[in-house]
Amino acid sequence: MSFVSVLEAVGKGFEKGLKWAVTYAVPVERLVGLLFPSAAPVAKEVADATSLIQSAVLLVEQKYAASGVQSGTGAQKLNEVMLLTEAAVTGLLAKAGVQVDSAYLQSVISAVVAILNVQSASAPVTATA
């Protein structure tokens, strides 16, 4: 089952669904290690930035799933996540000594989406509408 399919089921109860989705999200520490290996030991700012990206991805994915228009909207979702996170994430990463530009941040967001897709494929689906 894909991440989008899971979120379609979850999207019917948006607030309840977001809480459920976050419980199946990849732990931030694992994402930090995968996305920013040069930032070891893990800086609080990097963990906060990664958590912010993951939360924004989950929120945007769930929004689209709840409205039933998730297909073919990758670029729109990426733009929304960028609007929600770019300034804060760039600032947090700069504090940790990690300099990023918009293109790099878009790649990180895409990587988070890919990791969530893989993670959710192995997670049992127990949500009910």
Side-chain angles (χ1 to χ4, degrees):
M1 179 170 274
S2 74
F3 190 66
V4 172
S5 298
V6 170
L7 288 177
E8 284 176 343
V10 173
K12 292 184 174 83
F14 191 77
E15 182 178 354
K16 178 181 168 188
L18 182 59
K19 289 178 186 177
W20 178 86
V22 169
T23 63
Y24 286 98
V26 177
V28 170
E29 295 78 16
R30 281 181 52 202
L31 279 177
V32 168
L34 290 169
L35 299 172
F36 306 104
S38 65
V42 177
K44 180 183 181 333
E45 290 82 7
V46 176
D48 289 347
T50 307
S51 180
L52 179 61
I53 291 168
Q54 182 172 250
S55 296
V57 166
L58 290 170
L59 180 70
V60 170
E61 286 285 355
Q62 190 169 13
K63 171 188 162 188
Y64 278 79
S67 63
V69 292
Q70 69 278 3
S71 297
T73 56
Q76 291 170 311
K77 292 182 212 176
L78 177 59
N79 287 338
E80 281 196 46
V81 174
M82 287 292 290
L83 285 172
L84 290 170
T85 64
E86 186 172 19
V89 168
T90 302
L92 287 167
L93 293 177
K95 284 183 184 178
V98 179
Q99 299 300 318
V100 299
D101 59 12
S102 291
Y104 182 80
L105 185 55
Q106 288 175 354
S107 296
V108 169
I109 292 167
S110 294
V112 169
V113 170
I115 292 167
L116 287 170
N117 282 332
V118 169
Q119 177 76 11
S120 67
S122 63
V125 178
T126 58
T128 57

